[in-house]
Amino acid sequence: MQVITFGSSPLLSSRLAKALEAELIGIERKKFPDGEIYVRIEGKPEEVVVVQNTYPNEELIACLIGLQALKSEGAREVTLIIPYYGYGRQDRKFLPGEGVSAEALAKALSIYADRVILIDPHKDYLKDFFDVECQVIHADEALVEMLFPKQVDFVASPDVGSVERAKRVARALGVPYFSFEKKRISATEVEMRPTEKLDLEGKSVGIVDDVISTGGTMIKAAEICLSMGASEVYAACIHEIFARNALYRMHMAGISEVMATDTIEGPASRSSVSGIIAKKLKGL
Ligand code: R5P
């Protein structure tokens, strides 16, 4: 087995190669003067595990070009691990005429990949858009690993979509969970309220979500917890996008620490999903 990334995941791919005791294949990647991307595979691909995000745009393009290169170089089997499935949030038509990006990408990637694994996609049903076998992994273990040393009193879900995740993480940590009801006003503004009566006085709360983008969701949830007397609020997510200065704004809002995995390698990456992926690939 060989492991490769086309650029988005240098740390995660090397951690995965180590966990699998697999060869790490190198690439050459550069830009043409007009900004177009060039990818060349180094070495002879056979049974390959690709670790590559479809976000931001350039990584998506590199993914398609790299996959085409693998196939044309004669790779026997290509397993595409997409740590962060970018464009997954437009997963249906909200207005007539809209394109469904989650489906468009899945169809395009299915041309070259023999099998796909998504880590905590926006919705699990995105796997059904692929024309090849696609499986979903939930990286709950990573959230538990990050929150365990913080000894939180509660785990919270900032919206309905993350309730099951919060329940699983809370159960693993042996603490109660609660959730918020969230109404999105705009891309940056959300309205929120807890779904039950709570006593958070002097308690610490770990809020868990799949993704932090602008940070608006986490900030609102944290502000409510702090206004209810919480002593500390931690924000733990799988994917750190951190658009619009999100990290800074979350700290300014009083969040003690923002933690993420290495699905998107960045300033808050605290825990690696490499072990979780390796277990899946080994069929454990
Ligand atoms: C929403 O469904 C997601 O689970 C996240 O809560 C959301 O995408 C986070 O976005 P932001 O950080 O911009 O509030």
Side-chain angles (χ1 to χ4, degrees):
M1 196 183 276
Q2 298 152 307
V3 177
I4 194 169
T5 180
F6 304 130
S8 69
S9 310
L11 291 173
L12 177 55
S13 59
S14 63
R15 288 170 182 145
L16 181 64
K18 199 168 166 204
L20 293 170
E21 295 180 25
E23 178 199 351
L24 193 59
I25 307 184
I27 59 149
E28 183 190 350
R29 175 169 155 178
K30 59 186 180 186
K31 265 191 196 171
F32 289 106
D34 60 1
E36 289 184 358
I37 291 168
Y38 166 98
V39 178
R40 187 177 71 83
I41 311 296
E42 292 168 352
K44 179 81 193 120
E46 284 161 14
E47 192 190 332
V48 191
V49 175
V50 178
V51 185
Q52 179 66 23
N53 287 336
T54 55
Y55 168 90
N57 293 347
E58 289 196 353
E59 298 306 327
L60 167 62
I61 300 296
C63 188
L64 286 166
I65 300 171
L67 287 172
Q68 190 279 340
L70 283 178
K71 280 292 177 192
S72 80
E73 287 303 303
R76 242 190 0 262
E77 194 184 80
V78 174
T79 299
L80 171 61
I81 314 277
I82 309 180
Y84 174 61
Y85 187 50
Y87 286 97
R89 282 185 282 181
Q90 180 82 23
D91 59 356
R92 64 191 165 94
K93 229 187 255 189
F94 298 91
L95 293 173
E98 279 182 350
V100 179
S101 55
E103 177 173 341
L105 264 63
K107 300 289 179 215
L109 295 166
S110 299
I111 297 172
Y112 298 117
D114 298 305
R115 177 187 175 207
V116 177
I117 296 179
L118 306 175
I119 302 174
D120 284 284
H122 181 56
K123 295 273 169 23
D124 286 2
Y125 61 70
L126 300 193
K127 66 179 169 43
D128 300 328
F129 287 138
F130 288 82
D131 292 328
V132 292
E133 179 196 343
C134 179
Q135 290 171 293
V136 164
I137 299 181
H138 293 134
D140 297 343
E141 275 173 62
L143 296 172
V144 173
E145 185 184 302
M146 294 189 283
L147 286 175
F148 178 75
K150 307 299 172 194
Q151 298 192 315
V152 292
D153 298 301
F154 287 94
V155 170
S157 165
D159 56 26
V160 175
S162 233
V163 171
E164 290 308 315
R165 174 179 296 107
K167 269 189 207 174
R168 296 191 299 262
V169 172
R171 197 179 311 127
L173 291 171
V175 298
Y177 80 92
F178 64 89
S179 69
F180 290 90
E181 224 173 58
K182 177 173 95 175
K183 195 169 148 205
R184 193 164 273 290
I185 312 292
S186 70
T188 50
E189 253 188 295
V190 288
E191 240 175 46
M192 223 181 249
R193 60 179 184 87
T195 57
E196 60 191 288
K197 216 164 168 284
L198 296 160
D199 179 10
L200 297 183
E201 198 57 50
K203 306 286 187 206
S204 66
V205 183
I207 309 171
V208 296
D209 209 349
D210 56 340
V211 55
I212 298 176
S213 180
T214 63
T217 301
M218 280 293 182
I219 290 172
K220 197 55 144 191
E223 282 173 349
I224 296 173
C225 293
L226 292 168
S227 73
M228 291 170 77
S231 54
E232 260 146 356
V233 175
Y234 297 96
C237 69
I238 307 292
H239 315 294
E240 57 169 283
I241 294 182
F242 296 167
R244 301 194 181 152
N245 238 350
L247 192 55
Y248 172 74
R249 288 180 23 257
M250 284 187 283
H251 285 304
M252 292 307 284
I255 296 177
S256 302
E257 194 175 335
V258 180
M259 298 170 278
T261 74
D262 56 357
T263 56
I264 296 175
E265 296 174 15
S269 297
R270 299 278 189 280
S271 172
S272 181
V273 293
S274 55
I276 301 169
I277 301 171
K279 262 197 242 166
K280 181 82 179 170
L281 292 173
K282 287 176 181 167
L284 297 176

